[in-house]
Protein backbone atom coordinates (compact mmCIF):
# COMPACT_ATOMS: atom_id res chain seq x y z
CA UNK A 1 0.00 0.00 0.00
CA UNK A 2 1.31 3.40 -1.03
CA UNK A 3 -0.01 6.43 0.81
CA UNK A 4 0.43 10.07 0.08
CA UNK A 5 -0.77 13.49 1.19
CA UNK A 6 -3.96 15.19 0.08
CA UNK A 7 -3.79 17.20 -3.12
CA UNK A 8 -4.69 20.77 -2.21
CA UNK A 9 -3.96 22.59 -5.47
CA UNK A 10 -3.90 21.57 -9.12
CA UNK A 11 -2.10 23.87 -11.53
CA UNK A 12 -3.25 23.36 -15.12
CA UNK A 13 -0.69 24.82 -17.50
CA UNK A 14 -1.46 25.82 -21.09
CA UNK A 15 1.00 27.34 -23.53
CA UNK A 16 4.20 26.00 -22.02
CA UNK A 17 4.85 25.80 -25.77
CA UNK A 18 3.22 28.91 -27.21
CA UNK A 19 1.96 27.41 -30.48
CA UNK A 20 0.30 24.34 -28.93
CA UNK A 21 -3.17 25.72 -29.07
CA UNK A 22 -5.42 23.27 -27.20
CA UNK A 23 -3.85 24.17 -23.88
CA UNK A 24 -3.80 27.89 -24.65
CA UNK A 25 -7.47 27.95 -25.64
CA UNK A 26 -8.63 25.72 -22.78
CA UNK A 27 -6.84 27.79 -20.15
CA UNK A 28 -8.22 31.02 -21.61
CA UNK A 29 -11.69 29.49 -21.58
CA UNK A 30 -11.32 28.48 -17.91
CA UNK A 31 -9.98 31.92 -16.98
CA UNK A 32 -12.82 33.73 -18.78
CA UNK A 33 -16.14 32.64 -17.45
CA UNK A 34 -16.16 28.83 -17.68
CA UNK A 35 -14.11 28.02 -14.56
CA UNK A 36 -12.48 24.63 -14.13
CA UNK A 37 -13.39 23.19 -10.77
CA UNK A 38 -12.92 20.17 -8.54
CA UNK A 39 -14.78 19.17 -5.38
CA UNK A 40 -11.84 18.70 -3.04
CA UNK A 41 -9.08 21.05 -4.17
CA UNK A 42 -8.36 24.37 -5.79
CA UNK A 43 -7.76 24.37 -9.53
CA UNK A 44 -5.52 27.07 -11.01
CA UNK A 45 -5.50 27.39 -14.81
CA UNK A 46 -2.36 29.27 -15.89
CA UNK A 47 -0.72 30.41 -19.14
CA UNK A 48 2.96 29.48 -18.99
CA UNK A 49 4.96 31.07 -21.81
CA UNK A 50 3.10 34.34 -22.21
CA UNK A 51 5.54 35.89 -24.70
CA UNK A 52 5.63 32.79 -26.90
CA UNK A 53 1.82 32.66 -26.86
CA UNK A 54 1.76 36.26 -28.13
CA UNK A 55 4.18 35.31 -30.91
CA UNK A 56 2.32 32.02 -31.52
CA UNK A 57 5.68 30.22 -31.47
CA UNK A 58 7.01 27.32 -29.45
CA UNK A 59 9.28 29.68 -27.53
CA UNK A 60 10.82 33.16 -27.66
CA UNK A 61 14.47 32.43 -26.76
CA UNK A 62 14.60 28.77 -25.67
CA UNK A 63 12.33 25.86 -24.70
CA UNK A 64 10.60 26.83 -21.41
CA UNK A 65 9.91 23.16 -20.72
CA UNK A 66 13.66 22.52 -20.18
CA UNK A 67 14.40 25.54 -17.97
CA UNK A 68 13.07 24.37 -14.60
CA UNK A 69 16.51 23.07 -13.61
CA UNK A 70 18.08 23.61 -10.23
CA UNK A 71 20.83 25.59 -11.91
CA UNK A 72 18.39 28.02 -13.54
CA UNK A 73 16.05 28.37 -10.61
CA UNK A 74 18.91 29.22 -8.25
CA UNK A 75 20.85 31.32 -10.73
CA UNK A 76 22.51 34.37 -9.20
CA UNK A 77 22.62 36.17 -12.54
CA UNK A 78 20.62 39.38 -12.79
CA UNK A 79 17.38 39.20 -14.75
CA UNK A 80 18.85 41.32 -17.54
CA UNK A 81 21.41 38.62 -18.25
CA UNK A 82 18.84 35.83 -18.55
CA UNK A 83 16.74 34.70 -21.49
CA UNK A 84 13.01 35.29 -21.30
CA UNK A 85 12.24 31.63 -20.63
CA UNK A 86 14.75 31.32 -17.77
CA UNK A 87 13.22 34.41 -16.16
CA UNK A 88 9.75 32.99 -16.70
CA UNK A 89 10.73 29.65 -15.15
CA UNK A 90 12.02 31.51 -12.08
CA UNK A 91 8.82 33.56 -11.84
CA UNK A 92 6.62 30.48 -12.11
CA UNK A 93 8.73 28.57 -9.60
CA UNK A 94 8.49 31.41 -7.09
CA UNK A 95 4.73 31.44 -7.49
CA UNK A 96 4.06 27.72 -7.38
CA UNK A 97 6.91 25.73 -5.83
CA UNK A 98 6.43 27.12 -2.36
CA UNK A 99 2.65 26.97 -2.21
CA UNK A 100 2.90 23.74 -0.26
CA UNK A 101 3.98 20.15 -0.72
CA UNK A 102 0.59 19.02 -1.94
CA UNK A 103 0.37 20.66 -5.33
CA UNK A 104 -0.12 18.74 -8.57
CA UNK A 105 0.71 19.94 -12.11
CA UNK A 106 -1.16 19.09 -15.30
CA UNK A 107 0.82 20.43 -18.26
CA UNK A 108 -1.10 20.53 -21.57
CA UNK A 109 0.76 19.88 -24.82
CA UNK A 110 0.10 19.18 -28.50
CA UNK A 111 2.07 17.35 -31.14
CA UNK A 112 1.86 17.12 -34.92
CA UNK A 113 2.35 13.36 -34.58
CA UNK A 114 -0.64 11.03 -34.46
CA UNK A 115 -0.16 10.34 -30.76
CA UNK A 116 -3.82 10.57 -29.78
CA UNK A 117 -3.77 11.02 -25.98
CA UNK A 118 -0.29 10.41 -24.57
CA UNK A 119 0.20 10.78 -20.83
CA UNK A 120 3.78 11.58 -19.79
CA UNK A 121 4.76 10.42 -16.33
CA UNK A 122 7.86 9.60 -14.24
CA UNK A 123 8.29 5.94 -13.36
CA UNK A 124 8.99 6.70 -9.68
CA UNK A 125 5.77 8.68 -9.24
CA UNK A 126 3.29 6.03 -8.09
CA UNK A 127 0.52 8.54 -7.50
CA UNK A 128 0.67 9.85 -11.07
CA UNK A 129 0.96 6.35 -12.53
CA UNK A 130 -2.32 5.45 -10.85
CA UNK A 131 -3.83 8.63 -12.27
CA UNK A 132 -2.65 7.71 -15.78
CA UNK A 133 -4.23 4.29 -15.54
CA UNK A 134 -7.48 5.85 -14.34
CA UNK A 135 -7.53 8.25 -17.31
CA UNK A 136 -6.56 5.55 -19.80
CA UNK A 137 -9.37 3.25 -18.76
CA UNK A 138 -12.00 5.91 -19.43
CA UNK A 139 -10.99 6.22 -23.09
CA UNK A 140 -11.82 3.64 -25.77
CA UNK A 141 -9.05 1.08 -26.22
CA UNK A 142 -6.08 2.42 -28.16
CA UNK A 143 -6.87 6.12 -27.71
CA UNK A 144 -4.74 6.80 -24.63
CA UNK A 145 -1.16 5.63 -24.02
CA UNK A 146 1.25 6.13 -21.13
CA UNK A 147 4.82 7.21 -21.87
CA UNK A 148 7.05 6.54 -18.89
CA UNK A 149 10.14 8.66 -18.25
CA UNK A 150 13.03 6.79 -16.72
CA UNK A 151 13.93 6.94 -13.09
CA UNK A 152 15.80 9.84 -11.60
CA UNK A 153 16.52 11.79 -14.77
CA UNK A 154 15.21 15.35 -14.52
CA UNK A 155 14.47 17.17 -17.74
CA UNK A 156 13.96 20.60 -16.23
CA UNK A 157 10.31 20.43 -17.26
CA UNK A 158 7.43 22.21 -15.53
CA UNK A 159 6.73 19.24 -13.26
CA UNK A 160 10.08 19.85 -11.56
CA UNK A 161 8.47 22.74 -9.64
CA UNK A 162 6.24 20.58 -7.47
CA UNK A 163 7.47 16.97 -7.82
CA UNK A 164 4.08 15.48 -8.73
CA UNK A 165 2.45 15.93 -12.09
CA UNK A 166 1.85 14.65 -15.59
CA UNK A 167 1.90 16.12 -19.07
CA UNK A 168 -1.06 15.47 -21.35
CA UNK A 169 0.17 15.42 -24.94
CA UNK A 170 -2.49 15.23 -27.65
CA UNK A 171 -2.20 15.01 -31.44
CA UNK A 172 -2.24 15.22 -34.34
CA UNK A 173 -2.64 18.98 -34.47
CA UNK A 174 -0.57 21.42 -36.55
CA UNK A 175 1.33 24.10 -34.66
CA UNK A 176 -0.69 27.33 -34.30
CA UNK A 177 -4.00 25.59 -35.06
CA UNK A 178 -6.83 24.58 -32.73
CA UNK A 179 -8.89 21.55 -33.73
CA UNK A 180 -12.15 20.68 -31.98
CA UNK A 181 -11.46 16.92 -31.92
CA UNK A 182 -8.06 17.38 -30.29
CA UNK A 183 -9.31 19.94 -27.77
CA UNK A 184 -12.10 17.57 -26.76
CA UNK A 185 -9.59 14.78 -26.06
CA UNK A 186 -7.44 17.19 -24.06
CA UNK A 187 -10.36 18.50 -21.98
CA UNK A 188 -11.65 14.99 -21.29
CA UNK A 189 -8.21 13.96 -19.99
CA UNK A 190 -8.06 17.01 -17.71
CA UNK A 191 -11.52 16.33 -16.30
CA UNK A 192 -10.57 12.70 -15.64
CA UNK A 193 -7.43 13.85 -13.80
CA UNK A 194 -9.53 16.03 -11.50
CA UNK A 195 -12.06 13.22 -11.01
CA UNK A 196 -9.20 10.93 -9.94
CA UNK A 197 -7.88 13.55 -7.50
CA UNK A 198 -11.33 14.08 -6.00
CA UNK A 199 -11.74 10.33 -5.44
CA UNK A 200 -8.29 10.05 -3.94
CA UNK A 201 -8.84 13.06 -1.68
CA UNK A 202 -12.15 11.55 -0.56
CA UNK A 203 -10.35 8.38 0.59
CA UNK A 204 -11.08 6.02 -2.27
CA UNK A 205 -8.48 3.23 -2.37
CA UNK A 206 -7.02 2.39 -5.77
CA UNK A 207 -6.16 -1.31 -5.90
CA UNK A 208 -2.77 -2.68 -6.78
CA UNK A 209 -2.62 -3.25 -10.54
CA UNK A 210 -0.48 -3.60 -13.63
CA UNK A 211 -0.05 -0.79 -16.11
CA UNK A 212 1.17 -0.98 -19.67
CA UNK A 213 3.39 1.82 -20.85
CA UNK A 214 6.11 2.73 -23.31
CA UNK A 215 9.74 3.69 -22.63
CA UNK A 216 12.00 5.37 -25.18
CA UNK A 217 15.27 3.55 -25.78
CA UNK A 218 16.52 5.51 -28.78
CA UNK A 219 15.68 8.65 -30.77
CA UNK A 220 16.06 8.39 -34.55
CA UNK A 221 17.12 11.35 -36.71
CA UNK A 222 16.18 11.98 -40.35
CA UNK A 223 18.61 11.04 -43.11
CA UNK A 224 20.73 14.16 -43.70
CA UNK A 225 23.10 15.43 -46.38
CA UNK A 226 26.57 16.89 -45.86
CA UNK A 227 25.09 20.37 -45.25
CA UNK A 228 22.96 18.99 -42.44
CA UNK A 229 19.70 19.41 -44.35
CA UNK A 230 17.28 16.51 -44.25
CA UNK A 231 17.78 14.17 -47.22
CA UNK A 232 14.64 12.12 -46.74
CA UNK A 233 11.31 12.02 -44.95
CA UNK A 234 9.12 9.73 -42.87
CA UNK A 235 8.02 6.88 -45.16
CA UNK A 236 4.32 6.84 -46.03
CA UNK A 237 4.13 3.43 -44.26
CA UNK A 238 5.19 5.04 -40.97
CA UNK A 239 3.42 8.43 -41.24
CA UNK A 240 0.55 8.65 -38.69
CA UNK A 241 1.41 5.15 -37.39
CA UNK A 242 2.51 6.12 -33.89
CA UNK A 243 2.36 3.15 -31.45
CA UNK A 244 2.06 0.56 -34.26
CA UNK A 245 4.76 -2.13 -33.97
CA UNK A 246 7.88 -1.99 -36.16
CA UNK A 247 10.49 -4.62 -36.91
CA UNK A 248 13.94 -4.30 -38.45
CA UNK A 249 12.51 -4.79 -41.95
CA UNK A 250 9.90 -2.01 -41.65
CA UNK A 251 10.45 0.93 -44.01
CA UNK A 252 10.79 4.09 -41.96
CA UNK A 253 12.18 6.73 -44.35
CA UNK A 254 12.05 7.52 -48.04
CA UNK A 255 15.09 9.41 -49.22
CA UNK A 256 14.31 12.29 -51.58
CA UNK A 257 16.03 10.30 -54.36
CA UNK A 258 13.32 7.66 -53.92
CA UNK A 259 15.27 5.01 -51.97
CA UNK A 260 13.49 3.32 -49.08
CA UNK A 261 15.27 3.04 -45.73
CA UNK A 262 14.38 0.30 -43.26
CA UNK A 263 14.65 0.44 -39.50
CA UNK A 264 17.47 -2.10 -39.76
CA UNK A 265 19.38 0.36 -41.96
CA UNK A 266 19.43 3.08 -39.32
CA UNK A 267 20.01 1.30 -36.01
CA UNK A 268 22.27 -1.38 -34.62
CA UNK A 269 20.86 -4.73 -33.59
CA UNK A 270 20.57 -3.74 -29.97
CA UNK A 271 17.15 -4.31 -28.57
CA UNK A 272 15.27 -4.83 -31.79
CA UNK A 273 14.83 -8.56 -31.85
CA UNK A 274 11.16 -8.11 -31.00
CA UNK A 275 8.65 -5.46 -31.94
CA UNK A 276 9.34 -1.85 -31.07
CA UNK A 277 6.90 1.05 -31.06
CA UNK A 278 7.41 4.46 -32.66
CA UNK A 279 6.14 7.66 -31.12
CA UNK A 280 6.44 11.40 -31.90
CA UNK A 281 6.51 10.41 -35.59
CA UNK A 282 7.10 13.61 -37.59
CA UNK A 283 6.71 16.04 -34.70
CA UNK A 284 7.40 19.50 -36.17
CA UNK A 285 9.33 20.85 -33.19
CA UNK A 286 11.74 17.92 -33.17
CA UNK A 287 13.29 18.60 -36.59
CA UNK A 288 15.63 21.10 -34.94
CA UNK A 289 16.42 18.59 -32.20
CA UNK A 290 17.40 15.97 -34.78
CA UNK A 291 14.52 13.63 -33.95
CA UNK A 292 12.31 12.05 -36.63
CA UNK A 293 10.68 9.70 -34.12
CA UNK A 294 11.25 7.95 -30.81
CA UNK A 295 11.54 4.18 -30.62
CA UNK A 296 10.02 2.69 -27.51
CA UNK A 297 9.64 -0.68 -25.85
CA UNK A 298 6.38 -1.72 -24.34
CA UNK A 299 6.77 -2.20 -20.58
CA UNK A 300 4.54 -3.48 -17.80
CA UNK A 301 4.76 -2.16 -14.28
CA UNK A 302 3.17 -3.40 -11.07
CA UNK A 303 1.69 -0.67 -8.95
CA UNK A 304 0.99 -1.10 -5.24
CA UNK A 305 -2.43 0.01 -4.03
CA UNK A 306 -2.81 3.75 -3.40
CA UNK A 307 -4.69 5.54 -0.66
CA UNK A 308 -4.72 8.89 1.12
CA UNK A 309 -2.38 8.68 4.14
CA UNK B 1 -8.16 30.85 -80.71
CA UNK B 2 -5.73 32.32 -78.21
CA UNK B 3 -2.05 32.33 -79.11
CA UNK B 4 0.94 33.17 -77.02
CA UNK B 5 4.74 33.09 -77.12
CA UNK B 6 6.92 30.09 -76.41
CA UNK B 7 7.81 29.46 -72.78
CA UNK B 8 11.61 29.65 -72.54
CA UNK B 9 12.13 29.48 -68.78
CA UNK B 10 10.17 28.03 -65.90
CA UNK B 11 11.08 29.24 -62.41
CA UNK B 12 9.94 26.80 -59.72
CA UNK B 13 9.85 28.54 -56.36
CA UNK B 14 10.00 26.72 -53.01
CA UNK B 15 9.99 28.37 -49.62
CA UNK B 16 8.20 31.58 -50.55
CA UNK B 17 6.80 30.79 -47.10
CA UNK B 18 9.73 29.36 -45.15
CA UNK B 19 7.83 26.74 -43.14
CA UNK B 20 5.95 25.21 -46.09
CA UNK B 21 8.20 22.26 -46.42
CA UNK B 22 7.16 20.42 -49.60
CA UNK B 23 8.44 23.22 -51.80
CA UNK B 24 11.60 23.70 -49.75
CA UNK B 25 12.47 19.99 -49.86
CA UNK B 26 11.57 19.54 -53.54
CA UNK B 27 13.66 22.54 -54.64
CA UNK B 28 16.61 21.33 -52.55
CA UNK B 29 16.27 17.88 -54.10
CA UNK B 30 16.24 19.37 -57.62
CA UNK B 31 19.24 21.57 -56.84
CA UNK B 32 21.23 18.68 -55.37
CA UNK B 33 21.62 15.89 -57.88
CA UNK B 34 18.07 15.10 -59.04
CA UNK B 35 17.57 17.93 -61.53
CA UNK B 36 14.12 18.95 -62.70
CA UNK B 37 14.04 19.07 -66.49
CA UNK B 38 11.74 19.73 -69.41
CA UNK B 39 12.28 18.99 -73.12
CA UNK B 40 11.61 22.43 -74.54
CA UNK B 41 12.62 24.99 -71.93
CA UNK B 42 14.99 25.68 -69.10
CA UNK B 43 13.76 24.88 -65.58
CA UNK B 44 15.15 26.89 -62.67
CA UNK B 45 14.37 25.61 -59.15
CA UNK B 46 14.86 28.42 -56.65
CA UNK B 47 14.50 28.98 -52.89
CA UNK B 48 12.58 32.22 -52.33
CA UNK B 49 12.67 33.33 -48.70
CA UNK B 50 16.11 32.10 -47.66
CA UNK B 51 16.10 33.70 -44.21
CA UNK B 52 12.64 32.41 -43.35
CA UNK B 53 13.66 28.92 -44.49
CA UNK B 54 16.62 29.06 -42.08
CA UNK B 55 14.25 30.10 -39.27
CA UNK B 56 11.63 27.59 -40.44
CA UNK B 57 9.00 30.32 -40.20
CA UNK B 58 6.51 31.72 -42.67
CA UNK B 59 8.52 34.94 -42.90
CA UNK B 60 11.19 36.95 -41.12
CA UNK B 61 9.69 40.47 -41.14
CA UNK B 62 6.62 40.27 -43.39
CA UNK B 63 4.92 38.01 -45.95
CA UNK B 64 7.22 37.82 -49.01
CA UNK B 65 4.27 36.76 -51.14
CA UNK B 66 2.72 40.23 -50.81
CA UNK B 67 5.87 42.29 -51.47
CA UNK B 68 6.14 42.10 -55.28
CA UNK B 69 4.19 45.33 -55.65
CA UNK B 70 5.15 48.06 -58.04
CA UNK B 71 5.69 50.36 -55.07
CA UNK B 72 8.19 48.00 -53.40
CA UNK B 73 10.01 46.99 -56.54
CA UNK B 74 10.59 50.60 -57.55
CA UNK B 75 11.22 51.91 -54.06
CA UNK B 76 13.91 54.54 -53.84
CA UNK B 77 14.60 53.78 -50.17
CA UNK B 78 18.07 52.47 -49.33
CA UNK B 79 18.33 48.75 -48.55
CA UNK B 80 19.06 49.49 -44.90
CA UNK B 81 15.62 51.05 -44.52
CA UNK B 82 13.76 48.06 -45.99
CA UNK B 83 12.54 44.87 -44.36
CA UNK B 84 14.26 41.63 -45.36
CA UNK B 85 11.34 40.49 -47.51
CA UNK B 86 11.09 43.77 -49.45
CA UNK B 87 14.82 43.53 -50.21
CA UNK B 88 14.41 39.90 -51.20
CA UNK B 89 11.50 40.73 -53.52
CA UNK B 90 13.67 43.36 -55.22
CA UNK B 91 16.57 40.92 -55.59
CA UNK B 92 14.33 38.25 -57.07
CA UNK B 93 12.64 40.71 -59.38
CA UNK B 94 16.00 41.95 -60.70
CA UNK B 95 17.06 38.38 -61.36
CA UNK B 96 13.89 37.09 -62.98
CA UNK B 97 11.66 39.86 -64.27
CA UNK B 98 14.03 40.97 -66.99
CA UNK B 99 15.06 37.53 -68.23
CA UNK B 100 12.56 37.86 -71.05
CA UNK B 101 8.85 38.00 -71.65
CA UNK B 102 8.50 34.26 -71.96
CA UNK B 103 9.10 33.13 -68.41
CA UNK B 104 6.61 31.14 -66.35
CA UNK B 105 6.47 30.86 -62.53
CA UNK B 106 5.37 27.84 -60.53
CA UNK B 107 5.18 28.80 -56.86
CA UNK B 108 4.91 25.88 -54.42
CA UNK B 109 2.87 26.29 -51.23
CA UNK B 110 1.40 24.22 -48.41
CA UNK B 111 -1.58 24.73 -46.16
CA UNK B 112 -2.77 23.12 -42.93
CA UNK B 113 -6.26 22.97 -44.46
CA UNK B 114 -7.46 19.85 -46.24
CA UNK B 115 -7.22 21.51 -49.65
CA UNK B 116 -5.65 18.55 -51.47
CA UNK B 117 -4.19 20.07 -54.67
CA UNK B 118 -5.39 23.64 -55.16
CA UNK B 119 -4.17 25.51 -58.24
CA UNK B 120 -4.22 29.29 -57.87
CA UNK B 121 -4.61 31.23 -61.10
CA UNK B 122 -5.67 34.64 -62.38
CA UNK B 123 -8.90 34.69 -64.38
CA UNK B 124 -7.41 36.81 -67.19
CA UNK B 125 -4.51 34.40 -67.76
CA UNK B 126 -5.87 32.04 -70.44
CA UNK B 127 -2.60 30.20 -70.82
CA UNK B 128 -2.45 29.29 -67.12
CA UNK B 129 -6.13 28.37 -67.00
CA UNK B 130 -5.51 25.81 -69.74
CA UNK B 131 -2.54 24.51 -67.75
CA UNK B 132 -4.71 24.16 -64.62
CA UNK B 133 -7.31 22.16 -66.53
CA UNK B 134 -4.57 19.92 -67.92
CA UNK B 135 -3.18 19.24 -64.42
CA UNK B 136 -6.63 18.71 -62.92
CA UNK B 137 -7.60 16.09 -65.47
CA UNK B 138 -4.56 13.94 -64.62
CA UNK B 139 -5.61 13.60 -60.97
CA UNK B 140 -8.47 11.39 -59.76
CA UNK B 141 -11.77 13.28 -59.52
CA UNK B 142 -11.97 15.54 -56.47
CA UNK B 143 -8.23 15.70 -55.77
CA UNK B 144 -7.38 18.88 -57.67
CA UNK B 145 -9.35 22.15 -57.62
CA UNK B 146 -8.83 25.48 -59.34
CA UNK B 147 -9.09 28.68 -57.32
CA UNK B 148 -9.56 31.67 -59.59
CA UNK B 149 -8.36 35.12 -58.53
CA UNK B 150 -10.49 37.97 -59.74
CA UNK B 151 -9.64 40.16 -62.65
CA UNK B 152 -7.12 42.92 -62.46
CA UNK B 153 -6.42 42.82 -58.72
CA UNK B 154 -2.69 42.36 -58.01
CA UNK B 155 -1.72 40.82 -54.68
CA UNK B 156 1.99 41.57 -54.93
CA UNK B 157 2.64 37.83 -55.09
CA UNK B 158 5.61 36.18 -56.80
CA UNK B 159 3.73 35.80 -60.09
CA UNK B 160 3.74 39.60 -60.46
CA UNK B 161 7.40 39.36 -61.55
CA UNK B 162 6.70 37.70 -64.89
CA UNK B 163 2.94 38.02 -65.52
CA UNK B 164 2.33 34.31 -66.23
CA UNK B 165 2.29 31.69 -63.52
CA UNK B 166 0.34 29.64 -61.03
CA UNK B 167 0.69 28.70 -57.39
CA UNK B 168 0.35 25.05 -56.43
CA UNK B 169 -1.06 24.87 -52.90
CA UNK B 170 -1.19 21.41 -51.30
CA UNK B 171 -2.54 20.27 -47.94
CA UNK B 172 -3.13 19.23 -45.27
CA UNK B 173 0.39 19.53 -43.90
CA UNK B 174 1.43 21.12 -40.60
CA UNK B 175 3.83 24.04 -40.78
CA UNK B 176 7.47 22.94 -40.49
CA UNK B 177 6.67 19.31 -41.37
CA UNK B 178 7.24 17.38 -44.59
CA UNK B 179 4.78 14.56 -45.38
CA UNK B 180 5.45 12.04 -48.15
CA UNK B 181 1.85 11.99 -49.39
CA UNK B 182 1.69 15.78 -49.71
CA UNK B 183 5.10 16.03 -51.37
CA UNK B 184 4.05 13.40 -53.92
CA UNK B 185 0.96 15.42 -54.85
CA UNK B 186 3.08 18.57 -55.15
CA UNK B 187 5.71 16.90 -57.34
CA UNK B 188 3.09 15.31 -59.58
CA UNK B 189 1.47 18.73 -60.16
CA UNK B 190 4.86 20.27 -61.03
CA UNK B 191 5.67 17.49 -63.50
CA UNK B 192 2.25 17.91 -65.15
CA UNK B 193 2.87 21.66 -65.49
CA UNK B 194 6.13 21.00 -67.33
CA UNK B 195 4.46 18.33 -69.49
CA UNK B 196 1.82 20.90 -70.47
CA UNK B 197 4.48 23.48 -71.34
CA UNK B 198 6.41 20.97 -73.44
CA UNK B 199 3.28 20.08 -75.40
CA UNK B 200 2.40 23.72 -75.89
CA UNK B 201 5.95 24.61 -76.96
CA UNK B 202 5.86 21.71 -79.44
CA UNK B 203 2.77 23.16 -81.10
CA UNK B 204 0.02 21.01 -79.62
CA UNK B 205 -3.32 22.81 -79.83
CA UNK B 206 -5.48 22.77 -76.70
CA UNK B 207 -9.16 22.81 -77.69
CA UNK B 208 -11.67 25.31 -76.44
CA UNK B 209 -13.26 24.00 -73.27
CA UNK B 210 -15.08 24.76 -70.04
CA UNK B 211 -13.34 24.78 -66.68
CA UNK B 212 -14.87 24.58 -63.24
CA UNK B 213 -13.29 26.71 -60.55
CA UNK B 214 -13.97 28.49 -57.28
CA UNK B 215 -13.99 32.22 -56.54
CA UNK B 216 -13.83 33.69 -53.05
CA UNK B 217 -16.64 36.11 -52.26
CA UNK B 218 -16.04 36.54 -48.51
CA UNK B 219 -13.48 35.65 -45.83
CA UNK B 220 -14.88 34.58 -42.47
CA UNK B 221 -13.08 35.31 -39.18
CA UNK B 222 -13.25 33.26 -35.98
CA UNK B 223 -15.61 34.32 -33.18
CA UNK B 224 -13.55 36.64 -30.94
CA UNK B 225 -13.86 38.08 -27.45
CA UNK B 226 -13.40 41.70 -26.42
CA UNK B 227 -9.61 41.23 -26.11
CA UNK B 228 -9.45 40.05 -29.71
CA UNK B 229 -8.63 36.45 -28.76
CA UNK B 230 -10.53 33.74 -30.56
CA UNK B 231 -13.64 32.68 -28.63
CA UNK B 232 -14.43 29.58 -30.67
CA UNK B 233 -13.04 27.17 -33.22
CA UNK B 234 -13.90 25.50 -36.50
CA UNK B 235 -16.79 23.12 -35.81
CA UNK B 236 -15.99 19.43 -36.09
CA UNK B 237 -18.54 19.23 -38.94
CA UNK B 238 -16.47 21.70 -40.98
CA UNK B 239 -12.93 20.62 -40.02
CA UNK B 240 -11.16 18.98 -43.01
CA UNK B 241 -14.26 19.55 -45.18
CA UNK B 242 -12.74 22.02 -47.64
CA UNK B 243 -14.71 22.22 -50.91
CA UNK B 244 -17.78 20.44 -49.46
CA UNK B 245 -20.98 22.49 -49.93
CA UNK B 246 -22.38 24.56 -47.07
CA UNK B 247 -25.76 26.19 -46.63
CA UNK B 248 -26.93 28.83 -44.18
CA UNK B 249 -27.90 26.17 -41.64
CA UNK B 250 -24.50 24.41 -41.63
CA UNK B 251 -22.66 24.61 -38.30
CA UNK B 252 -19.30 26.27 -38.90
CA UNK B 253 -17.96 27.20 -35.43
CA UNK B 254 -18.24 25.89 -31.90
CA UNK B 255 -17.73 28.60 -29.31
CA UNK B 256 -15.53 27.58 -26.39
CA UNK B 257 -18.63 27.77 -24.16
CA UNK B 258 -20.10 24.95 -26.25
CA UNK B 259 -22.57 26.93 -28.40
CA UNK B 260 -22.78 26.01 -32.08
CA UNK B 261 -22.64 28.79 -34.68
CA UNK B 262 -24.19 28.37 -38.10
CA UNK B 263 -23.11 30.00 -41.32
CA UNK B 264 -26.33 32.01 -41.21
CA UNK B 265 -25.27 33.43 -37.84
CA UNK B 266 -22.06 34.93 -39.21
CA UNK B 267 -22.95 36.31 -42.61
CA UNK B 268 -25.64 38.38 -44.21
CA UNK B 269 -28.01 36.88 -46.73
CA UNK B 270 -25.99 38.11 -49.67
CA UNK B 271 -25.14 35.37 -52.09
CA UNK B 272 -25.94 32.40 -49.91
CA UNK B 273 -29.21 31.27 -51.35
CA UNK B 274 -27.51 28.29 -52.93
CA UNK B 275 -24.60 26.13 -51.84
CA UNK B 276 -21.26 27.77 -51.14
CA UNK B 277 -17.90 26.10 -50.77
CA UNK B 278 -15.38 26.62 -47.95
CA UNK B 279 -11.62 26.61 -48.53
CA UNK B 280 -8.53 27.30 -46.40
CA UNK B 281 -10.49 25.87 -43.47
CA UNK B 282 -8.30 26.28 -40.35
CA UNK B 283 -5.15 27.41 -42.17
CA UNK B 284 -2.60 28.17 -39.42
CA UNK B 285 -1.11 31.25 -41.04
CA UNK B 286 -4.50 32.92 -41.45
CA UNK B 287 -5.31 33.22 -37.74
CA UNK B 288 -3.24 36.43 -37.64
CA UNK B 289 -5.01 37.67 -40.77
CA UNK B 290 -8.42 37.13 -39.15
CA UNK B 291 -9.47 34.37 -41.53
CA UNK B 292 -11.00 31.10 -40.33
CA UNK B 293 -11.97 30.07 -43.87
CA UNK B 294 -12.81 31.46 -47.30
CA UNK B 295 -16.28 31.09 -48.75
CA UNK B 296 -16.33 30.54 -52.48
CA UNK B 297 -18.82 30.16 -55.29
CA UNK B 298 -18.39 27.53 -57.92
CA UNK B 299 -17.90 29.15 -61.33
CA UNK B 300 -17.63 27.88 -64.88
CA UNK B 301 -15.50 29.60 -67.48
CA UNK B 302 -15.28 29.06 -71.23
CA UNK B 303 -11.75 28.99 -72.54
CA UNK B 304 -10.92 29.62 -76.20
CA UNK B 305 -8.55 27.14 -77.83
CA UNK B 306 -4.85 27.75 -77.12
CA UNK B 307 -1.89 27.34 -79.45
CA UNK B 308 1.68 28.60 -79.82
CA UNK B 309 1.63 31.77 -81.91
Amino acid sequence: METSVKVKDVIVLGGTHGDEMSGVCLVRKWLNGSPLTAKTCEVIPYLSNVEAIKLCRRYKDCDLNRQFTEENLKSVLADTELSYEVKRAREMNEKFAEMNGSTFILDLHNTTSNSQVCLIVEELDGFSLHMCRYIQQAFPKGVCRIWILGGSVEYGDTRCMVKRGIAIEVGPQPQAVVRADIMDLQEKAVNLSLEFIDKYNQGVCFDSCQIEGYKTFIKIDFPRNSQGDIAGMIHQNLQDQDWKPLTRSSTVFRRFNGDDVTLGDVIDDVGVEESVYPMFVNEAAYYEKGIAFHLTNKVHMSLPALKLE
Side-chain angles (χ1 to χ4, degrees), chain A residues 115-158:
Chain A
S115 65
Q116 299 297 304
V117 180
C118 173
L119 306 172
I120 305 177
V121 60
E122 275 86 23
E123 71 175 330
L124 301 179
D125 183 356
F127 177 88
S128 297
L129 286 162
H130 266 286
M131 178 189 282
C132 289
R133 184 168 181 270
Y134 183 86
I135 298 169
Q136 184 180 50
Q137 290 187 324
F139 281 101
K141 190 168 160 54
V143 171
C144 178
R145 273 87 170 191
I146 301 169
W147 184 42
I148 300 172
L149 297 176
S152 57
V153 181
E154 292 214 335
Y155 294 87
D157 53 49
T158 57

Side-chain angles (χ1 to χ4, degrees), chain A residues 125-234:
Chain A
D125 183 356
F127 177 88
S128 297
L129 286 162
H130 266 286
M131 178 189 282
C132 289
R133 184 168 181 270
Y134 183 86
I135 298 169
Q136 184 180 50
Q137 290 187 324
F139 281 101
K141 190 168 160 54
V143 171
C144 178
R145 273 87 170 191
I146 301 169
W147 184 42
I148 300 172
L149 297 176
S152 57
V153 181
E154 292 214 335
Y155 294 87
D157 53 49
T158 57
R159 298 183 300 284
C160 293
M161 288 188 284
V162 301
K163 305 304 173 204
R164 281 196 296 187
I166 64 170
I168 302 173
E169 178 90 64
V170 190
Q173 182 169 268
Q175 295 177 335
V177 162
V178 55
R179 287 182 62 103
D181 51 355
I182 299 300
M183 193 194 251
D184 288 348
L185 289 172
Q186 182 88 266
E187 187 163 24
K188 179 172 175 177
V190 170
N191 287 328
L192 286 163
S193 308
L194 298 179
E195 193 177 288
F196 173 85
I197 288 170
D198 274 340
K199 288 191 174 176
Y200 166 81
N201 278 348
Q202 289 165 339
V204 171
C205 176
F206 296 90
D207 292 339
S208 64
C209 58
Q210 281 254 319
I211 69 162
E212 181 183 277
Y214 297 84
K215 275 192 174 182
T216 296
F217 66 94
I218 193 171
K219 300 169 188 176
I220 309 288
D221 192 10
F222 288 94
R224 292 188 185 266
N225 65 19
S226 54
Q227 289 96 62
D229 294 326
I230 62 172
M233 57 194 159
I234 298 291

